[in-house]
Amino acid sequence: MGMFEELKEIVGEENFSDRAEELLVYSRDSSFFQETPICVVRPRTGDEVARIVRLASEKRVPIIPRGAGTNPCGEVVGRAIVLDLSGMNRIIEVNERDMYAVVEPGVVRDELNRALEAHNLFFPPDPASSRVATIGGMLANNSSGLHAVKYGTTQDYVLALEVVLPSGEVIETGTLARKSSSGYNLCRLFVGSEGTLGVITRATLRLLPIPEHRETVAFTIDSLDELGGVQEAVMALLPAAFEYMDEICLRVLAEKEGLKVGGGSGIIAVEFDGVRGEAEACAERLRGRFGEELSTGDIWEMRKTLVPLLATYSDKSPLAVTEDIGVPVSKAPDAIRRVKGIYGEAGFEVAVYGHLGDGNLHMRVFGEPTPELEQAADEVYSYVIDAGGTISSEHGIGRLRKKYMEAQHGPALELMKRIKQALDPEGIMNPGCML
Ligand code: LAC
Ligand code: ZN
């Protein structure tokens, strides 16, 4: 029997495709990479995943696990069997007393939180793509987003994982206890591994009680020189979200979303949460201190739609190149200046925004992926590494940033390669990604 026939036998005819039009859809993620997969399979159970991976391992055929495909770094694009896990979307258990949920990887982040509302619980990591991003994708990238400044990242909420290893063998790692010092932390190894070490088929996630109140304050700034003072004032109050958007973002939000704003060269949006009186008091401390105060009605909705909105700014595409760099928090204002300077000198316009409370800056460069752009990106990354920062705060390495891994990690990269070799000696799991 040919491999396609065997795959059909595992997942059923309707969950297999090698039709050109479907392969075209799976040939892209949110990056500018494109490659046609060999075929697509949509497993429904962990057992099916294990059988598929075992088959791929026997046949030495590459395999790429995939969620919603929101990754902007070419992480799930390649000549491989694409394993679309979005159909494995059951919430298996919610435990209120012990505050955890057991979920399959295809559960969409916002849908999980909607289901958790009835239990007065929530899963804090909050990527801008939360309406579509899957838990599996978030685990694969250690995603975080808007609330990381107070709540941390996906890895901080993983109690246990079920993983199909590249051989097809299934392991469970972690416990239901809130903390553990037992053995190597394999959960942390698989989180952020971008589908290169195995397939996560089930996750036990730590949850928190929903805060009683959320209070938002947003205002404009007139110049980047104010950012240091703003950061100091906001960080001292332990914000739940702390976002910056530059002048291009401000203009796009005013034009397309009707944000009412008189002027300014950027926007700061801050959220406090917790007991009502305390959250309100924190916001009050910021009011009237900086630029024009903005109506906060849907500022977070606007913020979450920024990436698609930036596509309307120019007739050039808003490219994701150096789009989630991270620097020590206090260096963020300087990093914004440097990034704008580097791209500006190379002749590119760039929109910069991001999670100011984490020192995590996003940017979209308007243009084409030319050698000049790549050179400017090289410069940005080398500045970031020199500043003690990271080439990726939350989106992962994918195929886009592989070439910077050595500069970032030095000899530790060799150890990463040895781990990969130990777990996946045939190199079938998402080859070409990350390492
Ligand atoms: C954001 C995504 C790009 O924060 O991480 O908008
Ligand atoms: Zn982000």
Side-chain angles (χ1 to χ4, degrees), residues 73-96:
C73 318
E75 205 172 274
V76 291
V77 173
R79 188 79 189 141
I81 300 171
V82 168
L83 196 62
D84 177 352
L85 294 156
S86 60
M88 284 179 61
N89 57 0
R90 288 177 315 143
I91 297 172
I92 295 159
E93 183 191 352
V94 177
N95 189 310
E96 263 179 39

Side-chain angles (χ1 to χ4, degrees), residues 128 145 303 355 360 362 394-395:
R303 168 61 185 81
H355 315 297
N360 170 191
H362 294 308
E394 56 181 13
H395 295 167

